[in-house]
Structures are given as C-alpha cells and as structure tokens.
Amino acid sequence: MTPEQLPTEHYDAQLEEKVSRLTSLMTPFSAPDVEVFRSPVSHYRMRAEFRIWHDGDDLYHIIFDQQTRQRIRVDSFPAASHLINALMPKLIEALRDNPVLRHKLFQIDYLSTMSNQIVVSMLYHRPLTEEWQQAAAVLRDALREEGYDLHLIGRATKTKICLDRDFVDECLPVAGKKIVYRQVENSFTQPNAAMNIQMLEWALDVTSNASGDLLELYCGNGNFSLALARNFRRVLATEIAKPSVASAQYNIAVNGIDNVQIIRMAAEEFTQAMNGTRTFHRLEGIDLTSYQCETIFVDPPRSGLDEETVKMVQAYPRILYISCNPETLCQNLATLSETHSVTRLALFDQFPYTHHMECGVLLTRR
C-alpha cells in the first residue's frame, strides 16, 4: 500500500481482527461484549505532518516508511481530511517558484477541522525574516481569495511567527448539541473527528444515569469535560499543558458552560493533593471537599496510569477509562479489577489500517 492508496476493501477484516484482539485481552476481566465504533474508511484524519523534499527546482511532500526508512513522495493523502488534500497541491504549487518561502523549508504541518478552518505550519532550518513574513502574507491572502479559511505559521529555531493566529475553532455535533473546541497548533487534539464524536456520545451514554460530580484527569482542551458536563452537577478537571488549559478555559466560556472547573496540574500532583501529601498554591480558593465525585474519568497517555494514581482512582464508585494502549490498560485493570467490574467495553477505530486501538471501559465498584 502507498500513502496515496488505502486498502478500503480490507477495512472490515482489519476491524474484526482488532475486535478479536481486544476481546482476548479483556477475557481475564470478564468484560462484556465489545461495542464497536467504525471510522470513516478515508479522509478521517484532521491533522497531518509531512517532510518537504527539495529535488532541483521541484519540491514535494514526503513521508518515510516506518520499517525501511525509505523516502516516499506524497502528492495526495486520502487518510487526511478533504480540506488537507485540497490544500496540499495548492501550497506546493505556490512554494515551488517562491525562493523566499521555499528556502530551507523542511516540514509542513496541517491542522484542519470539520468546520473548514485550517492552520498550516511551515518549519525552516533558517531564521525567518521580514521578507519571509511579507511573502507568507501574500501566499495566505491568495489562498484565502480561493476560499480557504487559512491561518499560516512560520517556525524556526526559537521562533514562531503567526500571521494571524495559531488555532482553529472546531464545531462538533454531540448528542444533539453543537460544541465549539479551540484547537491550538502543535498541541494535542483528537486526530479522527468522526471517531471523537462517537467517543463523546458513548461517554455520555455510559454516564447518563450518573449522580454527583465528575473528576477528570488529563482533560486536554476540555474535549470530554465539556461534553460530559450535562450529565453531572459539576466537573473538576486537571491538565498540565498550558496551551491546552488556555483552550479549555476559552471552550468553557464560548459554550456557556458554568459547571466545569479546570486546574493546571499533573495527574500525579493532583493525586498527592487528594492524598494530603502535598499542598499546591494552584488549589488556593478551590474547596476540594465541596465536590462529591462519584465518577472519575481518565484518558491517560500510552504509558497508562502510574501506580499511585491507580490506587487513588480505586476510591471512586465509577471509573470511566479511555485508553490509546490496551496493553497498559490491562496492566491497570489487573489492580482496578480487584475492587471494580468492567460493565461496558468499547472499541473506537481511531487509527484505521494500523494495529493501534482506542478503547473505553466503564468500571463499577463491586
């Protein structure tokens, strides 16, 4: 398979293999049947990153084969959104004959939305001058005249030049409500927007009869916090990355949500605060004892939850766990299953045509 071809005819078989693998992994935990959520078979990625190869007077997008490290030219990329695919050749055409913009350009990153906004980041191995900024503004204006809602960024060592802004505002329909999410360039966002909607709606479904408050660790830009707020009295959420916290605060305001509180701290730090082993200035003015959290939501990195956080999570009657790595999920479940039962299990095909799986489990205390 090349980057310009997707084996769509094999999608169902690959998905079945993932379901079988997840079922096998979850067997020790007496999990229920897997609820399966399919991805679109093409144009599902809202972001993409390409290296740029200079070949004489020509230049083009490339990627590297993960096994052989062979260089592969990419003129179209059907895994990426229609918007990214439409813009890729336009951008290359404009750069090819523009020495100011192409000189020592080595990478282009695209971040698009279902609401047809896009940020393009151009990365350079040289300082960016006023001449570059003027040429980039001309390029941006020309592409906007063609109808693209485009925002252009230049990056070099210790330099970031935003011609307008470094974010897009996504608008997702989630269980009958539209939610606006600010997504900042070079920060984590869910790559598969269609699958993200399905994950949010599944999380809403499994917490539809929840009571009390929700505690969320690793909240990012508030992706789940904002959607789940309607099912809880209050939501208390933590995140360590400054850009994500800023986006989350904007998202709370723009969506008119008044029951979500974001705290900038790591999950491990919050665990220490909850256990009383450390105090934090960032928690001044926040009465943790006023929250009656009967549900905790975690969406950790691939490494899963650390040992202390697993123990802290066990204190909650209901645990909602989204995982991008079923192996580390199972490691955590080895402890969590001592006190909780897996009552819901879902597979979200976030990354079609790869071995990667995103899954969700709801655990309830025995």
Side-chain angles (χ1 to χ4, degrees), residues 99-135:
V100 175
L101 293 180
R102 68 173 285 172
H103 181 51
K104 293 196 175 180
L105 171 69
F106 72 92
Q107 184 168 320
I108 299 178
D109 298 344
Y110 299 86
L111 172 62
S112 65
T113 66
M114 295 179 76
S115 48
N116 284 318
Q117 296 181 15
I118 189 164
V119 168
V120 176
S121 302
M122 301 164 64
L123 285 62
Y124 290 85
H125 285 311
R126 67 173 176 92
L128 299 181
T129 62
E130 180 67 27
E131 185 183 24
W132 177 90
Q133 193 163 340
Q134 292 173 357

Coordinates of all heavy atoms in Angstrom, one line a residue, residues 99-135:
P99 N 11.3 31.5 -4.0 CA 12.6 31.2 -3.3 C 12.6 31.7 -1.9 O 13.2 31.1 -1.0 CB 13.7 32.0 -4.1 CG 12.9 33.0 -4.9 CD 11.6 32.4 -5.2
V100 N 11.9 32.7 -1.5 CA 11.8 33.2 -0.2 C 11.1 32.2 0.8 O 11.6 32.0 1.9 CB 11.1 34.6 -0.1 CG1 11.0 35.1 1.4 CG2 11.9 35.6 -0.9
L101 N 10.0 31.7 0.3 CA 9.3 30.7 1.1 C 9.8 29.3 1.1 O 9.6 28.6 2.1 CB 7.8 30.8 0.7 CG 7.0 32.1 0.9 CD1 5.6 31.9 0.4 CD2 7.1 32.5 2.4
R102 N 10.5 28.9 0.0 CA 10.9 27.5 0.0 C 12.3 27.3 0.5 O 12.6 26.2 0.8 CB 10.8 27.0 -1.5 CG 11.8 27.6 -2.4 CD 11.8 26.9 -3.8 NE 12.4 25.6 -3.8 CZ 12.4 24.7 -4.8 NH1 11.7 25.0 -5.9 NH2 13.0 23.6 -4.7
H103 N 13.1 28.3 0.7 CA 14.5 28.2 1.1 C 14.6 27.6 2.5 O 14.1 28.1 3.5 CB 15.2 29.5 1.1 CG 16.6 29.5 1.5 ND1 17.5 28.6 0.9 CD2 17.4 30.2 2.4 CE1 18.7 28.8 1.4 NE2 18.6 29.7 2.3
K104 N 15.2 26.4 2.5 CA 15.4 25.6 3.8 C 14.1 25.3 4.5 O 14.1 25.1 5.7 CB 16.4 26.3 4.7 CG 17.8 26.3 4.1 CD 18.8 26.7 5.1 CE 20.2 26.6 4.5 NZ 21.3 26.9 5.5
L105 N 13.0 25.2 3.8 CA 11.7 24.7 4.3 C 11.9 23.1 4.4 O 12.2 22.5 3.4 CB 10.6 25.0 3.4 CG 9.2 24.4 3.7 CD1 8.6 24.9 5.0 CD2 8.2 24.6 2.5
F106 N 11.6 22.5 5.5 CA 11.8 21.1 5.7 C 10.6 20.3 6.1 O 10.6 19.1 6.1 CB 13.0 20.8 6.6 CG 12.7 21.0 8.1 CD1 12.3 20.0 8.9 CD2 13.0 22.3 8.6 CE1 12.0 20.2 10.2 CE2 12.7 22.5 10.0 CZ 12.2 21.5 10.8
Q107 N 9.5 21.0 6.6 CA 8.3 20.3 7.0 C 7.1 21.2 7.0 O 7.2 22.5 7.1 CB 8.5 19.8 8.5 CG 7.4 19.0 9.0 CD 7.7 18.3 10.3 OE1 8.9 17.8 10.5 NE2 6.8 18.3 11.2
I108 N 6.0 20.6 6.6 CA 4.7 21.3 6.7 C 3.7 20.5 7.5 O 3.5 19.3 7.3 CB 4.1 21.6 5.3 CG1 5.1 22.5 4.5 CG2 2.7 22.3 5.4 CD1 4.6 22.7 3.0
D109 N 3.1 21.2 8.5 CA 2.1 20.5 9.4 C 0.7 21.1 9.1 O 0.6 22.4 9.0 CB 2.4 20.7 10.8 CG 3.7 20.1 11.3 OD1 4.3 19.3 10.5 OD2 4.2 20.4 12.4
Y110 N -0.3 20.3 9.0 CA -1.6 20.7 8.7 C -2.5 20.4 9.9 O -2.5 19.2 10.4 CB -2.2 20.1 7.5 CG -1.5 20.3 6.2 CD1 -0.4 19.6 5.8 CD2 -1.9 21.4 5.3 CE1 0.3 19.8 4.6 CE2 -1.2 21.6 4.1 CZ -0.1 20.8 3.8 OH 0.5 21.1 2.6
L111 N -3.4 21.3 10.3 CA -4.4 21.0 11.3 C -5.7 21.6 10.8 O -5.9 22.8 10.7 CB -4.0 21.7 12.7 CG -5.1 21.7 13.7 CD1 -5.5 20.2 14.1 CD2 -4.7 22.5 15.0
S112 N -6.6 20.7 10.5 CA -7.9 21.1 9.8 C -9.1 20.7 10.8 O -8.9 20.1 11.8 CB -8.1 20.4 8.5 OG -8.2 19.0 8.7
T113 N -10.3 21.2 10.4 CA -11.5 20.9 11.2 C -12.6 20.5 10.3 O -12.6 20.8 9.1 CB -11.9 22.2 12.0 OG1 -12.3 23.2 11.0 CG2 -10.8 22.8 12.8
M114 N -13.6 20.0 10.9 CA -14.9 19.7 10.2 C -15.6 21.0 9.8 O -16.5 21.0 9.0 CB -15.8 18.7 11.0 CG -15.2 17.4 11.2 SD -16.2 16.3 12.2 CE -17.4 15.8 11.0
S115 N -15.2 22.1 10.5 CA -15.9 23.4 10.3 C -15.1 24.2 9.2 O -15.3 25.4 9.1 CB -16.0 24.2 11.6 OG -14.8 24.2 12.3
N116 N -14.2 23.5 8.5 CA -13.5 24.0 7.3 C -12.5 25.1 7.7 O -12.2 26.0 6.8 CB -14.5 24.5 6.2 CG -15.1 23.3 5.5 OD1 -14.3 22.3 5.2 ND2 -16.4 23.3 5.3
Q117 N -11.9 25.1 8.8 CA -10.8 26.0 9.2 C -9.5 25.2 9.1 O -9.5 24.0 9.4 CB -11.0 26.6 10.6 CG -12.2 27.6 10.7 CD -12.2 28.2 12.1 OE1 -11.3 28.1 12.9 NE2 -13.4 28.7 12.4
I118 N -8.4 25.8 8.8 CA -7.1 25.1 8.7 C -6.0 26.0 9.1 O -6.0 27.2 8.8 CB -6.9 24.5 7.3 CG1 -5.7 23.5 7.4 CG2 -6.8 25.5 6.3 CD1 -5.6 22.6 6.1
V119 N -5.1 25.4 9.9 CA -3.8 26.1 10.3 C -2.7 25.3 9.6 O -2.7 24.1 9.6 CB -3.5 26.1 11.8 CG1 -2.1 26.5 12.1 CG2 -4.5 27.0 12.5
V120 N -1.8 26.0 8.9 CA -0.7 25.4 8.2 C 0.6 26.0 8.8 O 0.8 27.2 8.9 CB -0.7 25.7 6.7 CG1 0.6 25.1 6.0 CG2 -1.9 25.1 6.0
S121 N 1.4 25.1 9.3 CA 2.7 25.5 10.0 C 3.9 25.1 9.0 O 4.0 23.9 8.6 CB 2.9 24.8 11.3 OG 1.8 25.2 12.2
M122 N 4.7 26.0 8.7 CA 5.9 25.8 7.8 C 7.1 25.9 8.7 O 7.4 26.9 9.3 CB 5.9 26.8 6.7 CG 4.6 26.7 5.9 SD 4.3 28.2 4.8 CE 5.7 28.1 3.7
L123 N 7.9 24.8 8.7 CA 9.1 24.7 9.5 C 10.4 24.9 8.7 O 10.5 24.2 7.6 CB 9.1 23.4 10.3 CG 8.1 23.2 11.4 CD1 6.7 23.3 11.0 CD2 8.4 21.9 12.1
Y124 N 11.3 25.6 9.3 CA 12.5 26.0 8.5 C 13.8 25.7 9.3 O 13.8 25.8 10.5 CB 12.5 27.5 8.2 CG 11.4 27.9 7.1 CD1 10.1 28.1 7.5 CD2 11.8 28.0 5.8 CE1 9.2 28.5 6.6 CE2 10.8 28.3 4.8 CZ 9.5 28.6 5.2 OH 8.5 28.9 4.3
H125 N 14.9 25.5 8.5 CA 16.2 25.4 9.1 C 17.0 26.7 8.8 O 18.1 26.7 8.4 CB 17.0 24.2 8.4 CG 16.6 22.9 8.9 ND1 16.5 22.5 10.2 CD2 16.3 21.7 8.2 CE1 16.1 21.3 10.3 NE2 16.0 20.8 9.1
R126 N 16.3 27.8 9.1 CA 17.0 29.1 8.9 C 16.1 30.2 9.7 O 15.0 30.0 9.9 CB 17.1 29.5 7.4 CG 15.7 29.8 6.8 CD 15.9 30.3 5.3 NE 14.6 30.5 4.6 CZ 13.9 31.6 4.6 NH1 14.4 32.7 5.3 NH2 12.8 31.7 3.9
P127 N 16.7 31.3 10.0 CA 16.0 32.4 10.6 C 14.9 32.9 9.6 O 15.1 33.0 8.4 CB 17.0 33.5 10.9 CG 18.3 32.8 10.9 CD 18.2 31.7 9.9
L128 N 13.8 33.4 10.2 CA 12.7 33.9 9.4 C 12.7 35.4 9.4 O 12.7 36.0 10.5 CB 11.3 33.4 9.9 CG 11.2 31.9 9.8 CD1 9.8 31.4 10.3 CD2 11.4 31.3 8.4
T129 N 12.8 36.1 8.3 CA 13.0 37.5 8.2 C 11.7 38.2 7.9 O 10.6 37.6 7.6 CB 14.0 37.8 7.0 OG1 13.4 37.3 5.8 CG2 15.3 37.1 7.3
E130 N 11.8 39.5 7.8 CA 10.6 40.3 7.4 C 10.2 40.0 6.0 O 9.0 40.0 5.7 CB 11.0 41.8 7.6 CG 9.8 42.8 7.2 CD 8.6 42.7 8.1 OE1 8.8 42.4 9.3 OE2 7.5 43.0 7.6
E131 N 11.2 39.7 5.2 CA 10.9 39.4 3.8 C 10.1 38.1 3.7 O 9.1 38.0 2.9 CB 12.2 39.2 3.0 CG 12.0 38.9 1.5 CD 13.3 38.6 0.8 OE1 14.3 38.2 1.4 OE2 13.4 38.8 -0.5
W132 N 10.4 37.1 4.6 CA 9.6 35.9 4.7 C 8.2 36.2 5.1 O 7.2 35.7 4.5 CB 10.2 34.9 5.7 CG 9.4 33.6 5.8 CD1 9.5 32.5 5.0 CD2 8.2 33.5 6.6 NE1 8.5 31.6 5.4 CE2 7.7 32.2 6.4 CE3 7.6 34.2 7.6 CZ2 6.6 31.7 7.0 CZ3 6.5 33.7 8.3 CH2 6.0 32.4 8.0
Q133 N 8.1 37.0 6.1 CA 6.7 37.3 6.6 C 5.9 38.0 5.5 O 4.7 37.7 5.4 CB 6.9 38.2 7.8 CG 5.6 38.4 8.6 CD 5.8 38.9 10.0 OE1 6.9 38.8 10.5 NE2 4.8 39.4 10.7
Q134 N 6.5 38.9 4.8 CA 5.7 39.6 3.7 C 5.3 38.6 2.6 O 4.1 38.6 2.1 CB 6.6 40.7 3.1 CG 6.8 41.9 4.0 CD 7.8 42.9 3.5 OE1 8.3 42.7 2.4 NE2 8.0 44.0 4.2
A135 N 6.2 37.7 2.2 CA 5.9 36.7 1.2 C 4.8 35.7 1.7 O 3.9 35.3 1.0 CB 7.1 35.9 0.8

